Amino acid sequence: MYALRILFLVLTTIYLAPATYGAALQTNSAQDNAKYDRDYALEATMLGYFGKDGARNPTLKANKGDRVRITITNGEQMTHDIALEKLGIKSKTLQEKGTSTSITFVAQQSDTYFCTVPGHRAAGMVGSFEVVEGAVLGTSVAGQLPMKNEQPLNLDFESGTLKDWTATGDAFAKPLISQDPSPVHEKDMKIGFEGKQFLSSGGTTNYKLTGTLTSVPFKVTQPFAAFRVSGGALQDTRVELVRADTDQVIFHITGNGRATLLPVVVDLQPHLNKDIFIRIVDNETGISQIPYIKNDIWAHINFDDFRFYPSRPNFPNELKQSDIIVLPPLDPVLNAGLSGVEAAKAMTPPKGFKVTLAAAEPDVVRPVSFTIDAKGRLWVVEAHTYPTPAPEGQGKDRILIMEDTNGDGTLDSRKVFMEGLNLVSGIEVGMGGVWLGAAPYLLYIPVDDKTDKPAGPPQKLLDGWGTQDTHEVLNSLRWGPDGWLYGTHGVFTHSNVGKPGATDAQRTKINAGVWRYHPTRHTFEIFAEGSSNPWGIDFNDYGHPFITVCVIPHMYHVIQGARYKRQAGKHFNPYTYDDIKTHADHVHWVGERGPHAGNFRSASAGGGHAHAGAMIYLGNSWPQEYRNQIFMNNINGARMNIDNPTRAGSGYTVTHRPDFMAMNDSWSQWLNFKYDASGSVWAIDWYDKNQCHSPNPDVHDKTMGRIFRISHENDKWAKVDLTKATDQQLVNYQLHPNEWYVRQARTILQERGPNKKVHAALKNILAKNPDATRKLRALWTLHVTQGLTDKDLNSLLTHDNEYVRSWAIQLMAEDNSVSPEALKRFASMAQKDNSALVRLYLTSAMLRLEPGQRWEVMEALVQKGQDKDDHNLPLMAWYAAEPLATVDVKRALQLAEKAKLPNILTYMKQRVEAIGTDEAKKALSDFNARLGMMDHSGH
């Protein structure tokens, strides 16, 4: 995990643009010998910036006009910098532990300092710089030790003993330390204790020890108290103040994950003249049960110098609850390194379900991707080459064809389809062959159905797929309802995709998002961009795709032409200005320290930030509560999450449901899962003690792999071969309650090509079936078999069902152009249609047309005030309207002036300004002058 974390942070630096801070970029260091009125030194870590006195993100103060230097030293092997928000200056970026850099400036106004590396500010690397009048440093009143029987209590341990305390457990057997550096802490740790002694429950050396230390009760005689604490920011390493009469904990605090003792202030006014006692707790061993996760040396607590104060004391390095991001205990690891049979037994599926081991090593090793064909067989990719691409022609990956021939859940038939492949990461079958994502290529291998062997060599359909980060290459191939082959792509791999031999101008860049490829037109395009490392895509009953991603919030409803929140980097269109955020109302990790800090501690929230696979269950045998629910594997949490999408506005809100099941095995790594003709679900398990990507191939186990089947008691095994079905049978399958039949039959009909009888039967379903989802199935199959005319689609624009109208819009714009008649219909719908979903599809369609054709539709859509709070439409409308600025500056500004959607006016002015021509400058100046005389509060 540490290796991945380093890799992630190294890669994020690629996307930092120093030009963002212009000429104010600071690179000064120790070579700057000027004198400074205020010279601050901070240590930079993911936990925050720390001063020499241990304060986290301390408030740095100066008088106006002071010359200030802030120096940061990297406290860990990670990427960090420091910047001032208002002043717009940024230091150089640090990577190596112990390296330093500075920013210098003259204090003129208060400001915020922070780390610009994506995600670090949100994780807590942010503090305040204040310009103050008068003294910069404050003073504090003196405190006194509590008394009992007219004698001061030993709450500062200056007696050198545990007098007035009672210990249990081993942690406080020899707790008093009189040296700094401490003999039980790492040598570079500064403790900073008061007097001659401080107390520790084991330090970083003996962190495994546990126990409690309890003081004698004493009366609260002053309104405030303070003490010093450090150590683990863990629930079970804490200091408690307890009412003696009720045993109620009236105050508690943990350490902050640092060694330096920091003062903590407690308001005791509600407890004056009551007896309290101090309880110091260390119930955390820090022992990790996961082989590649180090033990936590912060599983201890340090304490010193409890005193009363007559008024609230002022400490510049005071530790406050808000400064601490407390981590819950590590999730219990029940099992690790189980056999396949034992692993299946260890899982805890819901009542009525069972998990069967279908195959295990050596019959299947390192399964990275799979699909199910029209005969119910599994085509499984074994990724022996990963993580390092082999030289051309020297790949070691292979494809297996596996089958359960008798319905017992065991894959008892196994064939090798092909060997010698290189870095295969995704597979789909259909249209006469096998489709493979194998960076730098998208491959097609024709299949001989009689022999289950290749009917020819692999064909390179596309090249230019990147391999910079080989766990973020093209993946998750899946047929869409529209007949395109869809796939996903990660953010830290940079692809420039085109047909072999294509020039750079003929290629398409992608480094995060969803792409698609048409199997007969051989057209490639980006369907939507953004997110992080999606490793799963599926479509619901209405043909709407969803992806699951990692590190950032995990769930996105994929809209054609959308731009989503990115883990790192910038959108290819510099005028994007903002992007669409997650459609989920939750994350699957705990705490506020960022996604990585929740690893292996987030069982209560779903298991953690890393997800693989996406399955929207549309089988017909599982209980109805699971239909149209999104299943994903939580890798760190070794459990199957379920999210529930519900319609909201133009799209969806996705809520968390109780986890489907836990694998109860820390080596479990399910990468994908799909339902079959029986309604059962097959899942491939990479199974490896190392759960995270590393460019070092030696950290991965190369001998293991599993396939499991999840079945419900309602599932009935069926031996199928849809390739032998007649055309009419395939049409009838469009009405089947199990979507597996629907999709397989549609792909076979697409391969067989246009057929008038097929078209007539499908149009009958489209016209007469009362169920919108069945109408859509007929519509999609008509589309993939070339059975729709412009007249057919035009007639559907007035259909009473919003889903049918929406899909008619998308299919009409498939070729990036529409007829003048259709464009007029679109403009009328933009004005009059009452469906936000239809307006979303209209916006997507506009993104596919030449900007000059968008005017009337966009002028209507931006004035739909009812969409101002919609999750998708305001930004989608901006993406479609943005290019209009280069077509007609004045008209674009007029469009924006009339807009009732948020930010359209602001963004359009920004876009016009970016054009930079004299014409654009004059148009903007005239517009601003006129705008200033009018009321535009509606914007």
Side-chain angles (χ1 to χ4, degrees):
M1 187 59 200
Y2 183 76
L4 175 70
R5 197 175 179 197
I6 294 298
L7 175 64
F8 156 60
L9 290 165
V10 170
L11 289 167
T12 56
T13 63
I14 296 171
Y15 297 90
L16 294 178
T20 301
Y21 292 89
L25 178 67
Q26 301 294 300
T27 57
N28 36 316
S29 62
Q31 296 174 349
D32 187 347
N33 295 317
K35 292 183 179 180
Y36 300 95
D37 301 291
R38 306 294 167 193
D39 201 354
Y40 292 105
L42 303 173
E43 181 185 5
T45 81
M46 275 291 285
L47 296 178
Y49 296 100
F50 291 88
K52 290 184 177 180
D53 60 359
R56 175 178 179 265
N57 298 329
T59 297
L60 308 180
K61 298 180 179 181
N63 299 127
K64 189 171 184 178
D66 281 353
R67 182 168 169 78
V68 182
R69 177 168 67 178
I70 306 175
T71 301
I72 62 167
T73 300
N74 204 348
E76 55 199 355
Q77 193 77 10
M78 284 193 181
T79 308
H80 295 308
D81 61 31
I82 188 169
L84 282 178
E85 187 172 60
K86 294 178 183 176
L87 204 53
I89 61 174
K90 184 179 92 68
S91 73
K92 71 178 182 180
T93 302
L94 302 176
Q95 172 61 40
E96 301 297 321
K97 182 178 181 179
T99 55
S100 300
T101 186
S102 301
I103 54 175
T104 62
F105 56 96
V106 175
Q108 296 295 337
Q109 60 179 334
S110 296
D111 209 334
T112 297
Y113 64 88
F114 67 102
C115 181
T116 70
V117 176
H120 288 200
R121 180 173 184 170
M125 294 187 70
V126 58
S128 296
F129 173 78
E130 291 185 2
V131 174
V132 299
E133 295 182 2
V136 172
L137 300 178
T139 58
S140 182
V141 297
Q144 63 183 54
L145 286 168
M147 307 285 285
K148 187 160 188 171
N149 299 325
E150 300 182 352
Q151 295 294 319
L153 292 174
N154 181 38
L155 304 187
D156 57 359
F157 308 105
E158 293 303 286
S159 69
T161 69
L162 289 183
K163 177 177 175 289
D164 301 325
W165 297 85
T166 301
T168 63
D170 301 324
F172 299 100
K174 295 181 179 179
L176 299 185
I177 313 296
S178 59
Q179 298 170 254
D180 194 1
S182 154
V184 296
H185 289 81
E186 294 180 0
K187 293 181 179 179
D188 60 349
M189 292 182 176
K190 175 180 171 59
I191 306 299
F193 60 91
E194 296 292 315
K196 300 177 182 178
Q197 315 272 352
F198 78 98
L199 177 133
S200 178
S201 66
T204 56
T205 301
N206 302 315
Y207 58 86
K208 297 178 184 179
L209 301 178
T210 61
T212 60
L213 187 67
T214 306
S215 76
V216 296
F218 53 91
K219 189 178 294 295
V220 177
T221 59
Q222 300 281 1
F224 293 91
F227 57 87
R228 295 177 182 269
V229 69
S230 66
L234 304 167
Q235 284 184 356
D236 285 340
T237 55
R238 62 188 184 273
V239 177
E240 298 176 337
L241 300 186
V242 187
R243 277 279 292 264
D245 54 347
T246 63
D247 208 37
Q248 173 193 2
V249 176
I250 59 173
F251 180 85
H252 65 90
I253 195 166
T254 72
N256 67 337
R258 308 275 293 182
T260 303
L261 286 162
L262 299 179
V264 176
V265 177
V266 186
D267 183 351
L268 291 175
Q269 294 178 87
H271 309 284
L272 278 169
N273 299 314
K274 302 294 184 181
D275 282 355
I276 64 171
F277 60 87
I278 306 167
R279 183 160 58 211
I280 305 172
V281 179
D282 182 353
N283 288 330
E284 171 70 73
T285 67
I287 299 172
S288 170
Q289 301 181 59
I290 301 170
Y292 51 92
I293 298 297
K294 294 180 179 180
N295 291 344
D296 190 348
I297 62 172
W298 291 108
H300 70 279
I301 188 94
N302 307 315
F303 178 90
D304 194 18
D305 201 35
F306 183 99
R307 293 180 183 269
F308 282 144
Y309 291 84
S311 60
R312 196 185 194 288
N314 175 40
F315 300 103
N317 60 339
E318 178 184 339
L319 178 63
K320 301 175 183 177
Q321 293 277 12
S322 58
D323 290 331
I324 306 171
I325 305 171
V326 179
L327 289 178
L330 284 167
D331 299 331
V333 177
L334 302 181
N335 300 288
L338 299 176
S339 70
V341 173
E342 292 170 333
K345 291 179 180 178
M347 298 176 195
T348 50
K351 185 179 180 181
F353 290 88
K354 70 175 180 178
V355 180
T356 305
L357 176 68
E361 64 279 349
D363 293 329
V364 62
V365 177
R366 308 184 93 189
V368 72
S369 184
F370 86 110
T371 191
I372 303 175
D373 69 9
K375 300 177 182 180
R377 305 177 302 178
L378 277 64
W379 293 64
V380 183
V381 175
E382 291 188 327
H384 298 281
T385 310
Y386 173 87
T388 306
E392 187 89 11
Q394 298 181 33
K396 300 176 182 179
D397 298 349
R398 63 182 171 185
I399 300 172
L400 307 176
I401 305 175
M402 308 184 79
E403 184 178 6
D404 176 6
T405 62
N406 57 15
D408 65 354
T410 302
L411 295 168
D412 51 278
S413 172
R414 177 182 179 276
K415 303 176 184 178
V416 177
F417 173 74
M418 178 174 271
E419 297 184 279
L421 296 162
N422 196 359
L423 202 68
V424 180
S425 52
I427 185 172
E428 186 56 284
V429 295
M431 301 297 291
V434 178
W435 307 76
L436 296 177
Y441 307 114
L442 177 68
L443 302 175
Y444 173 77
I445 307 170
V447 175
D448 184 334
D449 284 333
K450 295 180 180 179
T451 63
D452 287 330
K453 293 292 183 181
Q459 301 171 18
K460 297 175 182 177
L461 303 176
L462 299 171
D463 63 14
W465 298 94
T467 58
Q468 292 89 347
D469 188 344
T470 55
H471 82 310
E472 299 209 358
V473 289
L474 72 165
N475 67 85
S476 302
L477 277 57
R478 188 184 288 269
W479 293 114
D482 50 13
W484 292 69
L485 182 68
Y486 283 74
T488 55
H489 190 288
V491 68
F492 293 128
T493 291
H494 309 286
S495 297
N496 195 21
V497 180
K499 295 178 181 179
T503 65
D504 189 66
Q506 295 169 323
R507 293 179 175 272
T508 304
K509 288 182 169 59
I510 182 173
N511 61 18
V514 177
W515 55 269
R516 65 178 187 171
Y517 180 83
H518 199 277
T520 57
R521 285 185 266 156
H522 304 291
T523 304
F524 171 80
E525 65 182 34
I526 307 303
F527 190 79
E529 67 167 279
S531 77
S532 60
N533 182 23
W535 199 276
I537 183 171
D538 202 1
F539 300 80
N540 70 3
D541 246 345
Y542 300 101
H544 298 158
F546 291 78
I547 56 172
T548 55
V549 308
C550 298
V551 181
I552 62 175
H554 63 280
M555 180 58 60
Y556 296 86
H557 161 216
V558 183
I559 303 159
Q560 189 174 30
R563 302 167 197 169
Y564 295 105
K565 173 184 171 70
R566 299 173 59 93
Q567 179 184 347
K570 295 182 178 180
H571 294 282
F572 291 114
N573 185 326
Y575 313 113
T576 296
Y577 299 143
D578 194 7
D579 46 31
I580 299 172
K581 308 305 186 282
T582 178
H583 291 90
D585 62 1
H586 64 286
V587 294
H588 287 149
W589 68 80
V590 299
E592 299 174 359
R593 200 184 288 176
H596 290 282
N599 287 344
F600 311 106
R601 300 176 183 273
S602 296
S604 61
H609 76 271
H611 305 88
M615 178 186 73
I616 298 178
Y617 185 79
L618 293 174
N620 64 320
S621 54
W622 286 14
Q624 185 64 27
E625 65 179 289
Y626 295 112
R627 189 171 180 87
N628 266 313
Q629 304 295 284
I630 305 174
F631 291 72
M632 69 212 81
N633 182 47
N634 197 294
I635 294 178
N636 295 145
R639 64 191 58 233
M640 209 170 198
N641 300 140
I642 305 179
D643 276 5
N644 174 37
T646 56
R647 274 298 305 278
S650 69
Y652 295 84
T653 295
V654 184
T655 56
H656 183 61
R657 285 195 57 194
D659 296 332
F660 179 74
M661 74 174 188
M663 287 64 163
N664 301 310
D665 182 348
S666 66
W667 289 22
S668 169
Q669 292 184 56
W670 290 18
L671 297 186
N672 217 334
F673 21 90
K674 297 181 178 180
Y675 52 91
D676 65 6
S678 68
S680 298
V681 170
W682 299 88
I684 56 170
D685 188 348
W686 177 264
Y687 207 75
D688 191 346
K689 67 179 180 180
N690 177 57
Q691 292 188 351
C692 291
H693 168 75
S694 170
N696 177 7
D698 295 332
V699 306
H700 298 284
D701 191 295
K702 301 178 180 65
T703 64
M704 307 181 83
R706 316 281 167 77
I707 302 177
F708 297 99
R709 186 183 74 163
I710 310 171
S711 57
H712 188 264
E713 57 193 16
N714 294 337
D715 297 354
K716 293 182 180 179
W717 179 70
K719 189 168 181 63
V720 293
D721 184 356
L722 268 58
T723 64
K724 297 178 180 179
T726 66
D727 288 348
Q728 185 58 52
Q729 287 173 326
L730 295 175
V731 169
N732 292 341
Y733 280 135
Q734 298 309 299
L735 301 176
H736 201 285
N738 183 345
E739 179 82 4
W740 182 87
Y741 288 89
V742 180
R743 296 183 183 186
Q744 296 288 350
R746 181 170 59 238
T747 302
I748 296 170
L749 286 170
Q750 181 179 4
E751 182 181 355
R752 291 181 182 178
N755 182 308
K756 290 183 179 180
K757 290 184 178 179
V758 167
H759 293 162
L762 290 168
K763 286 183 177 180
N764 186 58
I765 295 173
L766 177 58
K768 297 181 179 179
N769 195 293
D771 188 329
T773 64
R774 273 51 181 172
K775 289 179 182 293
L776 289 174
R777 292 175 178 182
L779 178 63
W780 298 326
T781 310
L782 280 165
H783 172 69
V784 303
T785 58
Q786 302 170 49
L788 290 172
T789 65
D790 285 346
K791 182 178 179 181
D792 293 329
L793 290 172
N794 261 305
S795 68
L796 294 175
L797 294 179
T798 56
H799 198 278
D800 60 0
N801 185 272
E802 64 174 338
Y803 294 102
V804 174
R805 297 199 303 278
S806 299
W807 268 101
I809 294 166
Q810 176 166 328
L811 298 180
M812 291 181 81
E814 274 283 82
D815 297 327
N816 296 308
S817 65
V818 297
S819 67
E821 179 189 358
L823 196 56
K824 289 180 181 178
R825 298 288 296 277
F826 285 179
S828 176
M829 295 174 77
Q831 291 177 341
K832 300 175 183 178
D833 200 294
N834 60 7
S835 166
L837 179 68
V838 168
R839 293 193 290 275
L840 181 66
Y841 272 67
L842 284 169
T843 311
S844 288
M846 291 304 100
L847 280 158
R848 300 180 66 78
L849 304 184
E850 288 297 321
Q853 295 182 290
R854 304 178 189 180
W855 286 108
E856 290 187 42
V857 174
M858 293 314 304
E859 284 168 342
L861 289 176
V862 300
Q863 294 186 59
K864 291 294 180 182
Q866 61 264 50
D867 295 329
K868 64 183 178 62
D869 297 320
D870 188 84
H871 190 91
N872 310 303
L873 275 166
L875 284 174
M876 287 295 294
W878 166 245
Y879 305 152
E882 171 265 314
L884 300 180
T886 61
V887 177
D888 186 331
V889 170
K890 292 182 179 178
R891 188 174 178 182
L893 289 169
Q894 290 168 357
L895 175 148
E897 182 182 359
K898 296 175 183 177
K900 296 180 181 178
L901 297 181
N903 295 318
I904 299 293
L905 177 60
T906 302
Y907 290 162
M908 188 61 78
K909 290 169 63 178
Q910 202 171 335
R911 179 67 182 93
V912 170
E913 185 178 27
I915 295 174
T917 64
D918 290 341
E919 178 189 3
K921 291 177 182 176
K922 184 177 187 308
L924 185 58
S925 176
D926 293 346
F927 179 77
N928 283 333
R930 185 172 61 81
L931 196 68
M933 298 183 289
M934 302 171 65
D935 177 15
H936 284 270
S937 57
H939 292 290

